[in-house]
C-alpha cells in the first residue's frame, strides 16, 4: 500500500549526479521549484522535462523508481484535476498545475536519492551560514535532514502495521467509505507511538555520538565546489530566466 513511496531514501551509486556538490543540488532544487511556478507555455514544460530526464538518466537510478512516487500521489493529482475542472475551464491551467506537482515530486526525489543525510545537512548548513548569528543554523540543518529521512522509516513502519492488522482480519480494500476510514484511523495511534519511540532512539544515538547542539562540527567528507557545479548552476539560472521572461 505505502511501499510504492520511496521519497526520502538514499540510493548509493557512483553516478555523476551523486558526485555533485550537495550545495548545488539544494540550490538547483530551489531554482527549479521557483521556475516551475512561472511556466505559461508548453515550451517551458518541454525544456524543464528535458532537463529533468537528463538529470534522472545521469543519476543512474531507474526512472521507474521515480514514477513510483508519482503513482503514490495519484489521489492528490486527481483532486487537483477536479478542483481545476470546477473552478477553471482552460485545459492549459489543468495541465500546468498537474505538471507542477509531478515535476516538484520527481526533482525533489533526485535530491534525496543521490545525496546522503550528512551531505544534505552540510548543504543546508552552508546555505544558512549567513544567518548564523541570528538563528541556530546547525540545529535547523539537522532538523531538516532528519525530517526528510524520517519519511521512509515511518512508511515502512506503517506498512508493518497494515500487514499486522490485515492478518487480524481488518479489510483495508473495502469500498465502503465509512469502514475504510475506520480501518485507516486504526493506524494513527500505533504510528504516533512508533514516531515517539524513533525520536527517543535518535536522541539517544546522537547523545552517544556526543552531538552537541549549537557547536560547530567538522565533516568526514570534503565537499568541494567544482567547475561542473558552477556551469550547471549557470544553466539553472538561464533556464529560470527563460521560463520567467518568455
Amino acid at each position: 500500500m505505502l511501499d510504492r513511496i520511496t521519497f526520502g531514501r538514499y540510493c548509493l551509486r557512483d553516478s555523476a549526479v551523486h558526485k555533485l556538490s550537495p550545495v548545488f543540488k539544494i540550490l538547483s532544487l530551489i531554482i527549479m521549484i521557483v521556475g516551475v511556478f512561472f511556466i505559461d507555455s508548453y515550451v517551458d514544460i518541454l525544456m524543464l522535462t528535458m532537463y529533468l530526464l537528463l538529470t534522472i538518466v545521469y543519476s543512474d537510478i531507474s526512472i521507474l523508481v521515480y514514477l513510483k512516487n508519482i503513482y503514490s500521489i495519484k489521489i492528490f493529482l486527481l483532486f487537483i484535476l477536479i478542483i481545476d475542472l470546477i473552478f477553471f475551464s482552460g485545459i492549459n491551467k489543468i495541465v500546468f498545475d498537474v505538471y507542477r506537482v509531478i515535476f516538484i515530486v520527481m526533482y525533489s526525489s533526485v535530491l534525496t536519492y543521490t545525496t546522503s543525510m550528512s551531505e544534505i545537512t552540510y548543504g543546508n548548513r552552508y546555505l544558512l551560514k549567513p544567518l548564523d548569528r541570528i538563528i541556530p543554523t546547525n540545529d535547523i540543518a539537522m532538523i531538516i535532514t532528519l525530517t526528510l529521512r524520517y519519511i521512509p522509516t515511518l512508511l515502512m513502519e506503517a506498512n508493518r502495521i497494515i500487514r499486522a492488522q490485515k492478518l487480524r482480519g481488518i479489510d483495508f480494500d473495502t469500498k465502503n467509505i465509512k469502514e475504510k476510514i475506520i480501518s485507516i484511523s486504526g493506524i494513527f495511534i500505533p504510528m504516533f507511538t512508533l514516531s515517539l519511540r524513533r525520536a527517543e532512539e535518535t536522541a539517544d544515538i546522537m547523545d552517544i555520538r556526543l552531538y552537541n547542539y549549537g557547536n560547530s562540527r567538522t565533516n568526514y567528507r570534503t565537499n568541494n565546489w567544482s567547475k561542473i557545479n558552477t556551469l550547471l548552476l549557470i544553466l539553472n539560472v538561464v533556464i529560470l530566466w527563460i521560463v520567467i521572461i518568455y
Side-chain angles (χ1 to χ4, degrees), residues 170-181:
I170 298 176
D171 186 12
F172 287 92
D173 299 323
T174 179
K175 295 182 179 180
N176 188 304
I177 300 298
K178 184 178 179 181
E179 292 180 3
K180 199 173 186 74
I181 292 173

Side-chain angles (χ1 to χ4, degrees), residues 71 80 83 104 110 118 192 236:
Y71 183 77
I80 294 175
I83 294 297
I104 290 172
V110 174
S118 59
F192 182 72
N236 277 231

